[in-house]
Amino acid sequence: MASLMRQSCLSAFRTPLATRNVAGVSRVVAFHASARRQILPPEPQTIQGTMNDPAPIPPPHPSHGSYHWTFERLVCVGLVPITIAPFAAGTLNPTMDAVLCSLLILHSHVGFQASIIDYFPARRVPKTATFLNWLLRGFTLTTAIGLYEFETNDVGLTEAIKRIWKA
């Protein structure tokens, strides 16, 4: 009884990607990427130089690396008090609203840009990466213009959130 229970429990965890037909030949399930339908083609398998050459080091740039990481963290940390302050203090200051909107736009842009860089590397899909970066810039500009119009011609972001919260 114990071995039967053990076999049934283990079979529940085994979901193979391949199934076997009557002849015992394994067959790949439908969704698995095959040579005919690849989601992303593999990168070219070439080696530049020899195996004794050092790895190429990209030229340093101030907007990459530690400065970029520090800037992202400052924006994230800055969002916490500037988000809580208008509701805790009870004041409606247009300058604070403008800073909040600016940080939200900047935070969203940097986050989506990091996603594009991670999932669509320029060395692998250069045209797609360029298109998505320009699309992100367009959406960021549209969002900035929309929030500017909302701040100047309507009640503002914090007042709108207060009204929605109390509705």
Side-chain angles (χ1 to χ4, degrees), residues 16-165:
L17 285 176
T19 58
R20 296 196 181 271
N21 62 8
V22 179
V25 178
S26 80
R27 194 180 64 188
V28 177
V29 295
F31 185 70
H32 187 269
S34 67
R36 287 183 298 137
R37 294 183 297 178
Q38 291 181 343
I39 296 170
L40 280 177
E43 291 184 10
Q45 302 295 318
T46 60
I47 298 173
Q48 302 294 328
T50 66
M51 59 192 264
N52 292 326
D53 290 340
I57 299 172
H61 195 273
S63 68
H64 296 284
S66 64
Y67 293 123
H68 186 75
W69 187 86
T70 305
F71 178 72
E72 286 178 354
R73 300 303 154 245
L74 286 174
V75 169
C76 292
V77 169
L79 270 172
V80 174
I82 205 77
T83 303
I84 297 171
F87 305 107
T91 62
L92 296 173
N93 188 346
T95 306
M96 189 175 290
D97 256 7
V99 171
L100 175 63
C101 289
S102 300
L103 285 178
L104 281 173
I105 290 169
L106 195 59
H107 176 71
S108 300
H109 181 83
V110 168
F112 281 115
Q113 186 179 35
S115 297
I116 291 170
I117 290 170
D118 287 346
Y119 292 107
F120 300 98
R123 71 179 191 285
R124 189 166 184 170
V125 284
K127 291 180 181 177
T128 305
T130 304
F131 171 72
L132 289 174
N133 278 320
W134 279 105
L135 188 67
L136 174 64
R137 291 176 188 134
F139 279 131
T140 302
L141 183 63
T142 304
T143 305
I145 292 170
L147 281 175
Y148 174 77
E149 290 294 322
F150 187 66
E151 287 292 322
T152 55
N153 298 330
D154 209 342
V155 293
L157 187 64
T158 53
E159 179 62 27
I161 293 171
K162 281 184 181 180
R163 289 180 183 182
I164 291 171
W165 190 265

